[in-house]
Amino acid sequence: MIWHVQNENFILDSTRIFMKAFHLLLFHGSFIFPECILIFGLILLLMIDSTSDQKDRPWFYFISSTTLVMSITALLFRWREEPIISFSGNFQTNNFNEIFQFLILLCSTLCIPLSVEYIECTEMAITEFLLFVLTATLGGMFLCGANDLITLFVAPECFSLCSYLLSGYTKRDVRSNEATMKYLLMGGASSSILVHGFSWLYGSSGGEIELQEIVNGLINTQMYNSPGISIALISITVGIGFKLSPAPFHQWTPDVYEGVRFVRQIPTSISISEMFGFFKTP
């Protein structure tokens, strides 16, 4: 009897969460229309890959490039609109964010045609590579519009995971496997330090997660000069520093780039997405 009641409560809670998510997407989906185009392209790539053979490789390039171009077009049509905060304050849209989103999309669009020859010569799986690039681009775009701590953590992790996978894309190369291991360990450590700094901000502001509300909370609680804020800023700086690898957080970078051969051959949008996204955040 108890199990039956718990099961019904779980179904009701799941239904409420699903309906709330559907309501947000229905009424705020137009604000993330360029990102929705990328999501649709990712789903389309997965469907075609699961139902076709390797002879349809040109279609993969065409779908990926078309998706990115359509996303750029939708972004340009939204230019000069009034700044909007949507999804209960989690996402913001303004011209400043759209500039960086455009640069990220442009880098990814250039990355795909420049990578065709190298991938065909090495006979690597093309679908996975395109999925990683599109997913990393999606994470960078959400990071540019992030307006709360949760989105600021989830969005960079989206393209960080793709970066780990891309660094180990040449699986038969021992140096590539070593690069992936080092990149994964450093990325996990930096993410842990970053979320530790976010937790200090969350607690010091009185339990706020939106950026503007955090500032107001620090002023109301008189915690803006406390040691906790210093710890939060140091942790966030170190976490972001290890992800972007500027000096003095760059010791791990040469080993990773030495093992990742295709990074030396073609420019990717991953590092550029991280740079633009994190520079926008402060």
Side-chain angles (χ1 to χ4, degrees):
M1 184 65 182
I2 297 177
W3 177 85
H4 182 69
V5 173
Q6 291 178 345
N7 191 27
E8 288 184 351
N9 292 333
F10 175 76
I11 294 175
L12 291 175
D13 293 339
S14 302
T15 305
R16 293 192 191 99
I17 294 173
F18 175 78
M19 293 302 296
K20 184 178 180 180
F22 179 77
H23 179 269
L24 288 174
L25 185 61
L26 181 64
F27 290 96
H28 299 275
S30 60
F31 303 132
I32 57 168
F33 186 65
E35 291 84 355
C36 290
I37 294 176
L38 289 178
I39 295 173
F40 178 76
L42 286 169
I43 297 174
L44 189 60
L45 277 177
L46 287 172
M47 292 176 60
I48 295 178
D49 181 57
S50 60
T51 58
S52 63
D53 53 15
Q54 294 297 323
K55 295 180 181 180
D56 294 331
R57 274 190 171 188
W59 274 104
F60 299 147
Y61 294 112
F62 176 77
I63 292 173
S64 302
S65 300
T66 304
T67 300
L68 291 170
V69 172
M70 290 177 61
S71 184
I72 292 176
T73 305
L75 198 63
L76 293 177
F77 273 108
R78 203 171 61 185
W79 181 254
R80 291 187 178 276
E81 290 187 0
E82 293 295 328
I84 298 173
I85 297 179
S86 55
F87 289 96
S88 302
N90 297 333
F91 194 80
Q92 59 179 341
T93 303
N94 53 50
N95 291 341
F96 183 72
N97 298 339
E98 290 171 357
I99 292 173
F100 292 103
Q101 290 178 340
F102 173 78
L103 292 173
I104 292 171
L105 287 170
L106 181 62
C107 293
S108 299
T109 305
L110 295 175
C111 171
I112 293 177
L114 292 174
S115 63
V116 173
E117 183 179 357
Y118 180 78
I119 293 178
E120 289 181 351
C121 292
T122 54
E123 297 181 353
M124 293 189 298
I126 179 58
T127 311
E128 287 80 359
F129 177 81
L130 296 175
L131 288 174
F132 296 156
V133 172
L134 290 180
T135 306
T137 306
L138 184 65
M141 292 186 67
F142 275 115
L143 176 60
C144 291
N147 196 46
D148 68 328
L149 296 180
I150 297 176
T151 311
L152 281 175
F153 179 75
V154 174
E157 288 305 305
C158 180
F159 57 71
S160 292
L161 291 173
C162 295
S163 302
Y164 308 150
L165 297 171
L166 284 172
S167 63
Y169 198 62
T170 52
K171 297 181 286 293
R172 300 176 183 177
D173 190 354
V174 178
R175 291 184 299 176
S176 178
N177 297 329
E178 180 184 358
T180 304
M181 182 60 65
K182 291 181 178 179
Y183 197 3
L184 179 62
L185 292 176
M186 293 305 303
S190 63
S191 298
S192 301
I193 298 173
L194 183 64
V195 76
H196 179 70
F198 285 169
S199 66
W200 276 96
L201 274 183
Y202 176 80
S204 300
S205 62
E208 301 291 344
I209 61 173
E210 295 183 23
L211 300 184
Q212 187 59 46
E213 294 298 329
I214 289 175
V215 176
N216 298 334
L218 292 176
I219 296 174
N220 295 332
T221 57
Q222 301 294 319
M223 294 290 289
Y224 49 85
N225 288 326
S226 64
I229 296 300
S230 301
I231 297 174
L233 294 178
I234 292 174
S235 300
I236 293 173
T237 302
V238 172
I240 294 176
F242 275 115
K243 285 184 176 296
L244 296 180
S245 66
F249 307 103
H250 64 289
Q251 294 87 354
W252 60 274
T253 313
D255 291 337
V256 174
Y257 272 78
E258 182 182 2
V260 185
R261 291 185 176 182
F262 73 91
V263 170
R264 301 198 301 268
Q265 303 290 336
I266 57 173
T268 63
S269 62
I270 310 304
S271 299
I272 299 175
S273 299
E274 292 182 2
M275 182 178 66
F276 287 143
F278 278 122
F279 281 175
K280 170 263 168 190
T281 300

